[in-house]
Amino acid sequence: MHFIVLVKQVPDVAKIPESAWDRQKGTLKRALLDNVLNPLDLHALTLAWQMKEAFGDPQARLIALSMGPPQAREVLLDAMSRGADEAVLLTDVAFSGADTIATAYTLAQAIRKIEREVLGSRDYIVLSGMQSVDGDTAQVPGQIAEELEIENISYAQSFEVADEAGAPRLLVKRIGPGGVETVSPLVYPVLITATACTEPLYRSLHRARDASSRKILEWNAKALGTDPARIGAKGSRTQVFRIFSPSEDQDKRCAFPHSAAELLAQIEALYENPPLRSAVAEGPAYTVDGKTPTYQGEVWVYVEQAQGQVESVSLELIGKARELADSLHQKVGAVLVGHDVADLAPTLIAHGADKVYLSEHPALARFLPMPYKKAVCALVQQGKPQIVLFGATPLGRELAPRVAYRSDAGLTADCTKLDIDDIKKANINVVAALKQTRPALGGNIMATIMTRDSQIQMATVRPGVMKAGPADDARRGEVIRLPIDIDPACIRTQLVSSEPLPEKQKLTDAQILISGGRALGSKSNYDRYIRGLAEALQRVLPGRVDVGASRAAVEEGLIGHEHQVGQTGQTVQPRMYIAVGISGAVQHLSGMQNSEVIIAINKDARAKIFDHADLGMVGDYETLLPELITLIEARKPQ
C-alpha cells in the first residue's frame, strides 16, 4: 500500500502584519508572511507514516504533494525530514487565485499523474489534514475525492491494521455524524482526512540531511495536462468581494466600571434590562422588486435528521432561507434524504418550507458521502435552486463539498452572515446575489464572498448562528418525491462499529455563560475561579448558569471540548456572556458575539474582546474574581 499526503504551506496566522493585506483584491501578499506547515497536515503525515509501518510493505512509498509558489519547497523538505520518501510540488502562475474547486481539480490531476507515472498502482491512500488554518473550509479533500470518484473518510482519529485471512485490513476510527465510528474501506484508493489525533512526527537530523540531497519533482499546468478553464482564478466558482476587520462590523461601546462592586451592580442591571442593539439586523432589508435578478430558482436547505428527529441546525437554516426567499419572491425547498423519513415533512413545512423534496432508499439509512451525494445532486439537477444551505456539521462538511463540486456550484464554508444584495465592483455587476460572510485566516479577518460563473450558490452555516422561526402547524406545503436508484458499487466503506457520543452539554440552554481562556493557566484555577463565579451567580440571578471555554483553554486541558465556545466549538446566544482571560480572536467571537450582554475581564487593556463587550474590567482575575464572588455571596439568594 502506497501513501500520498497533501501538505500545505500556510501563513503563521499569529503573525500577520498589516502591510500583508491587499484589501482591494481581498488577498494576502504571502511573500510578506512567515510560513509554516499546516498543523493538521502534519497529523496526516504522521498517520501516513504509521500506516506505512503497520502495513509492513518494504516497497511502499510515501509521497508528499503540495501546491504553491516555488518557496513551498520548504514545506516539502520539512515533510521529507519527518518521514516522506519523495515529494512533488505543483507550481505555476496559472494556478494562482484558485478557490477550493480549482485547487481540488489541480491536486486530483497530480494524484492521477502520480498513480500513472510514479506508483503504477491503484493500491494507495491519500491523506490530508481535515482543513488548513488559513482557509478553515474543509472543502478541498472532499472535492478531490469527488473529482477522483473515490470514497473519503473524514475526521480520522486513529487506525489499526488487522489481519484478515492473511491479508491486511485497515480499520479507521473517525468522528461520524452520530458518534465515533470504526469504518473499513472496501475499495482503494481512498482519501482520509485527519484531525489532531496523534503525537506528530518530529524531524530527524538524518532524514533532514537526506532530504536536502533529494530532488523534488516540480510540475506545472502543462505537465499535469490540466484544462486551462478549470485551474486558478479562471476555474474558481467563488470570489472574495470584501475583507474587513471584525471590529468594523459591530457597534458596541464598552463601559469600564472602576471596582468589583460597581461591576456587580452593572451586571445585575444589564441582566434585567439588556441594551438595545443599533447594529444592522441579521435579516436582509433587500427586495428584488423592479429588478431582474442574476440568479433564478428556489432557496433550499439540506435537512439533517437522526433517529426520527430533524436536527436543530436545519430548522435554523429554514428560518434563514424563509427570510432570503421572501426578499427574492421565491419558494423555500427542504431537501430530505434518508430511509423512512417522510414523517418529518410536516415539521419542515411548519417551520417555513413551501416544498419538501424527498428521496428515500434503504441504502440511505445511514450517512455515506457517495450515495447521499448522488441523491442530493439528483434533486439539485431536477429542481435547479439558486441557493442551497447546509449545516457546518461533520455531516454537512462531508456532503456539501462533494455536492457543490458535482453541481459546479460555488461553496462558502462556516458563514456567520448571509444577505441578498446587488454587487457592483470593478468587473462585477450582479443583481440579488447571496453575500456570504465568514471568518478567515485563523479569525484575523472577516471575508464577504460571492459565487461567480455558476448558477447555484451554496454555503454552510454553523449551528446556532441563525435562529429558527416558530412552528406554524397551519402552514401547508407540497411533498415532492424523487425515486433514487443506489448502485451497490457506490457503497465503498463498511461500518464495523459505532459508539454514540456522550450527550453534549447544551450550553445553548444557559441564560448566563462564564467562559475562561488559557490565561487561567491550570485546571485548578479554572475550577476555582470560573466554576466558583458560576456557582455564586447561580444563587443570586434567575436562569441557568453554565461554564464555557476558549479553544486554547480546552487544548491546555482546563476543561473538556464539550464546553468549547467558538468556530470549532459551540455557538451560543445567552442573555449574558462573561469572558475571563479571553483575548477576543474571531474564532471565539463567532461563537458568542450574538449574546445579549457581553462582559470581559482581562489584564490586557488592548485585548480585542473589549471591542465587543458591553462591560469591561482591566485587571488580574486572581484578584478581581474573588472580590466579585465575595460580594455576590453577601447578597440574599433570589
Side-chain angles (χ1 to χ4, degrees), residues 8-58:
K8 185 177 182 182
Q9 188 179 60
V10 296
D12 186 345
V13 295
K15 302 174 183 176
I16 302 181
E18 181 61 30
S19 58
W21 293 108
D22 187 332
R23 296 183 181 274
Q24 193 67 27
K25 294 180 179 179
T27 58
L28 270 176
K29 302 171 186 175
R30 293 185 178 249
L32 300 180
L33 301 175
D34 293 330
N35 294 300
V36 295
L37 171 63
N38 182 52
L40 286 178
D41 292 346
L42 176 53
H43 287 278
L45 180 64
T46 303
L47 275 183
W49 186 84
Q50 291 173 341
M51 285 182 184
K52 180 185 171 188
E53 294 292 301
F55 273 93
D57 180 0

Side-chain angles (χ1 to χ4, degrees), residues 312-313 316 391-393 461-466 569-572:
S312 59
V313 64
E316 295 163 7
T393 61
V461 182
R462 286 184 56 77
V465 172
M466 308 299 176
Q570 297 189 57
T571 300
V572 297

Side-chain angles (χ1 to χ4, degrees), residues 58-358:
Q59 303 302 315
R61 300 164 80 169
L62 198 168
I63 301 172
L65 171 63
S66 189
M67 173 177 159
Q71 57 264 35
R73 289 174 54 88
E74 297 173 9
V75 81
L76 292 172
L77 288 170
D78 191 359
M80 287 193 291
S81 73
R82 298 176 190 268
D85 302 308
E86 303 162 74
V88 178
L89 174 62
L90 312 181
T91 186
D92 193 320
V93 68
F95 298 149
S96 61
D99 70 354
T100 63
I101 283 180
T103 298
Y105 168 72
T106 305
L107 288 167
Q109 286 292 92
I111 291 168
R112 290 185 173 116
K113 184 177 175 70
I114 291 171
E115 178 187 313
R116 290 191 312 268
E117 301 178 10
V118 180
L119 300 178
S121 167
R122 287 185 63 80
D123 288 332
Y124 63 89
I125 298 170
V126 181
L127 295 102
S128 81
M130 181 180 70
Q131 61 196 52
S132 62
V133 296
D134 57 341
D136 281 334
T137 67
Q139 292 173 190
V140 170
Q143 291 174 336
I144 291 172
E146 186 60 28
E147 170 65 27
L148 296 174
E149 297 185 322
I150 63 176
E151 187 62 276
N152 62 292
I153 300 173
S154 301
Y155 299 95
Q157 295 182 307
S158 61
F159 77 95
E160 64 175 295
V161 176
D163 189 312
E164 189 171 279
R169 183 190 186 195
L170 179 63
L171 302 171
V172 179
K173 185 176 180 180
R174 55 155 270 165
I175 301 171
V180 178
E181 301 175 345
T182 298
V183 297
S184 180
L186 300 174
V187 180
Y188 291 97
V190 66
L191 188 147
I192 299 173
T193 66
T195 61
C197 55
T198 185
E199 184 72 17
L201 278 172
Y202 293 103
R203 297 182 187 89
S204 154
L205 178 61
H206 168 73
R207 285 195 296 254
R209 186 168 52 237
D210 185 48
S212 64
S213 65
R214 275 184 275 166
K215 181 180 179 181
I216 295 175
L217 292 175
E218 290 192 10
W219 294 339
N220 59 18
K222 183 178 179 180
L224 292 181
T226 53
D227 179 348
R230 298 186 64 186
I231 62 175
K234 288 184 179 179
S236 298
R237 293 292 175 265
T238 58
Q239 179 174 339
V240 176
F241 170 68
R242 177 191 174 215
I243 59 173
F244 58 96
S245 167
S247 61
E248 294 176 33
D249 205 36
Q250 55 84 32
D251 72 329
K252 291 194 175 184
R253 295 294 181 269
C254 186
F256 290 89
H258 299 290
S259 66
E262 188 179 344
L263 174 62
L264 179 57
Q266 293 194 38
I267 285 175
E268 292 176 312
L270 284 174
Y271 187 75
E272 289 299 321
N273 297 289
L276 295 175
R277 302 295 179 210
S278 60
V280 176
E282 185 179 288
Y286 182 91
T287 178
V288 77
D289 290 340
K291 303 176 183 179
T292 302
T294 301
Y295 296 91
Q296 300 291 329
E298 298 171 351
V299 179
W300 283 13
V301 171
Y302 174 78
V303 176
E304 290 192 36
Q305 46 76 28
Q307 300 178 337
Q309 299 290 324
V310 177
E311 297 289 350
S312 59
V313 64
S314 299
L315 300 180
E316 295 163 7
L317 292 180
I318 288 174
K320 186 63 182 181
R322 178 78 271 159
E323 192 178 279
L324 298 173
D326 286 346
S327 69
L328 294 166
H329 304 318
Q330 290 287 350
K331 301 288 188 182
V332 172
V335 176
L336 183 57
V337 172
H339 181 51
D340 291 336
V341 294
D343 290 347
L344 300 177
T347 299
L348 305 175
I349 293 169
H351 279 85
D354 299 304
K355 300 178 183 179
V356 176
Y357 293 92
L358 177 64

Side-chain angles (χ1 to χ4, degrees), residues 514-626:
I514 306 168
S515 286
R518 178 162 45 193
L520 272 294
S522 66
K523 186 178 184 302
S524 60
N525 279 352
Y526 182 95
D527 291 342
R528 177 183 176 187
Y529 296 108
I530 302 301
R531 293 188 188 277
L533 180 57
E535 291 168 3
L537 284 175
Q538 185 69 81
R539 290 194 292 269
V540 298
L541 291 178
R544 189 168 79 83
V545 183
D546 210 333
V547 295
S550 67
R551 181 175 68 177
V554 170
E555 290 174 348
E556 290 292 321
L558 275 59
I559 194 170
H561 181 268
E562 66 273 14
H563 288 269
Q564 183 174 320
V565 174
Q567 190 176 1
T568 52
Q570 297 189 57
T571 300
V572 297
Q573 300 180 40
R575 191 166 182 176
M576 179 171 285
Y577 189 87
I578 303 176
V580 180
I582 293 174
S583 64
V586 172
Q587 299 103 316
H588 189 78
L589 291 171
S590 66
M592 45 65 71
Q593 61 189 352
N594 291 326
S595 305
E596 292 188 43
V597 177
I598 297 174
I599 299 167
I601 297 172
N602 200 297
K603 67 180 181 181
D604 181 2
R606 297 172 297 176
K608 293 180 181 178
I609 190 70
F610 291 124
D611 295 334
H612 301 264
D614 299 283
L615 290 177
M617 284 288 286
V618 178
D620 191 333
Y621 70 86
E622 291 181 283
T623 301
L624 179 59
L625 292 192

